[in-house]
């Protein structure tokens, strides 16, 4: 079931420490429109052929590929961030996924950072895949906020054709999520739906369990019209079993559809 032009998917990160296989299975059982594949240590997430098989077996399409740009995935596919992004775009094309999600470069990736905007634009032009650059959050050290990203945690400071808005990241950074959504405007093509309490860490709570305007952002996105993707990216690692994990994911899906359809 889709809500207007907005599809609601679930990230494979939402079932960690289970594999992408579990995400496809739960997406099918709960009625999600698709999955976002977080490419990381899970071997299945790194293998487009295996992902195609899971998609065919469950009838669940891949909506997006999240490039391996976390600190723990700096060696997945290649030690070069440019190559990891290119491989992500290739995987998205192989899987008929319209979107790649990517973080801004780390500050120490100077050459990558210097050419990042041009690389993103050229890959989009060549592939037809939307590369949606995600907002991030600072870390706090010695009572100071420090950004690990170049030029900042806010991708609108550079300007891109496509953005991902992550509501757990706005909570951790203290940003006004609705203001940032409106600043991204029609270029906001991908929403990571989660929540946070404002603690300086990436909580990824079920939407509605924190302090973010999750409902308002979904309603704004629906009223704006156009094509977009909403992907539930929550933390279920403390679930006591598969039933608890499924309950959280079902609640998040219901929240999304209620607020997208209002």
């Amino acid at each position: 079931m889709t809500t207007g032009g907005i599809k609601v998917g679930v990230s494979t990160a939402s079932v960690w420490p289970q594999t992408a296989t579990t995400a496809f299975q739960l997406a099918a059982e709960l009625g999600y429109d698709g999955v976002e594949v977080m490419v990381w240590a899970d071997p299945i997430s790194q293998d487009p052929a295996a992902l195609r098989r899971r998609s065919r077996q469950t009838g669940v399409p891949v909506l997006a590929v999240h490039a391996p740009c976390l600190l723990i995935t700096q060696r997945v596919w290649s030690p070069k961030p440019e190559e990891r992004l290119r491989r992500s775009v290739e995987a998205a094309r192989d899987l008929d996924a319209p979107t790649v999600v990517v973080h801004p470069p780390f500050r120490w990736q100077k050459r990558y950072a210097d050419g990042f905007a041009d690389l993103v634009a050229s890959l989009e032009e060549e592939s037809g895949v939307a590369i949606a650059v995600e907002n991030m959050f600072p870390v706090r050290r010695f009572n100071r906020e420090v950004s690990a990203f170049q030029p900042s945690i806010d991708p609108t400071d550079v300007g891109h054709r496509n953005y991902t808005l992550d509501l757990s990241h706005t909570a951790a950074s203290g940003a006004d999520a609705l203001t940032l959504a409106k600043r991204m405007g029609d270029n906001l093509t991908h929403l990571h739906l989660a929540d946070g309490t404002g603690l300086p860490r990436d909580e990824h709570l079920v939407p509605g369990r924190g302090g973010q305007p999750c409902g308002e952002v979904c309603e704004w996105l629906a009223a704006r019209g156009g094509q977009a993707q909403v992907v539930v990216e929550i933390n279920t690692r403390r679930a006591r079993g598969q039933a608890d994990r499924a309950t959280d994911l079902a609640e998040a899906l219901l929240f999304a559809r209620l607020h997208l359809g209002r």
Side-chain angles (χ1 to χ4, degrees):
M1 172 185 172
T2 58
T3 309
I6 299 178
K7 294 183 177 181
V8 182
V10 61
S11 171
T12 58
S14 295
V15 304
W16 190 86
Q18 303 297 313
T19 68
T21 298
T22 298
F24 278 99
Q25 292 169 342
L26 284 174
E29 292 170 12
L30 298 173
Y32 276 89
D33 297 316
V35 301
E36 175 186 319
V37 175
M38 170 71 82
V39 181
W40 55 2
D42 172 14
I44 296 169
S45 74
Q46 303 173 27
D47 185 346
L51 293 167
R52 275 197 305 274
R53 288 193 294 272
R54 302 301 187 276
S55 180
R56 285 198 302 267
Q57 290 161 358
T58 58
V60 175
V62 177
L63 299 179
V65 173
H66 194 308
C69 43
L70 303 174
L71 284 172
I72 61 172
T73 58
Q74 295 297 293
R75 295 285 173 176
V76 171
W77 282 344
S78 171
K80 297 179 179 179
E82 300 92 341
E83 181 61 22
R84 293 198 298 272
L85 181 54
R86 289 191 181 94
R87 289 281 299 272
S88 299
V89 172
E90 290 170 6
R93 293 186 68 181
D94 287 347
L95 295 164
D96 295 320
T99 306
V100 164
V101 177
V102 67
H103 295 175
F106 288 116
R107 286 191 175 277
W108 54 84
Q109 296 171 324
K110 186 173 184 341
R111 187 172 66 177
Y112 177 54
D114 288 345
F116 179 70
D118 289 340
L119 175 63
V120 167
S122 65
L123 287 173
E124 286 185 318
E125 192 68 30
E126 294 165 9
S127 68
V129 173
I131 302 176
V133 186
E134 187 172 359
N135 64 298
M136 301 305 293
F137 59 96
V139 295
R140 289 179 173 86
R141 300 184 63 186
F142 309 112
N143 296 318
R144 294 179 57 214
E145 287 191 348
V146 180
S147 172
F149 301 95
Q150 177 68 28
S152 75
I153 62 173
D154 183 352
T156 66
D157 287 345
V158 174
H160 296 281
R161 189 179 302 172
N162 294 282
Y163 296 113
T164 295
L165 176 63
D166 187 302
L167 298 180
S168 178
H169 295 176
T170 56
S173 67
D176 185 309
L178 196 54
T179 297
L180 182 54
K182 292 177 179 178
R183 187 157 67 247
M184 291 176 172
D186 290 341
N187 300 94
L188 172 51
T189 55
H190 197 81
L191 175 68
H192 278 165
L193 183 58
D195 214 333
T197 63
L199 292 175
R201 63 172 184 265
D202 201 9
E203 296 176 282
H204 283 284
L205 304 178
V206 173
R209 297 186 187 177
Q212 289 300 286
C214 299
E216 291 93 328
V217 170
C218 287
E219 289 162 13
W220 174 83
L221 196 61
R224 185 200 67 176
Q227 296 294 314
Q229 297 175 333
V230 172
V231 168
V232 169
E233 190 181 67
I234 61 172
N235 182 348
T236 65
R237 72 186 67 176
R238 294 182 181 175
R240 288 173 291 182
Q242 196 74 323
D244 280 357
R245 180 173 288 110
T247 296
D248 283 350
L249 290 172
E251 180 182 330
L253 177 60
L254 178 61
F255 183 100
R257 289 200 169 131
L258 283 172
H259 288 280
L260 289 169
R262 181 168 299 170

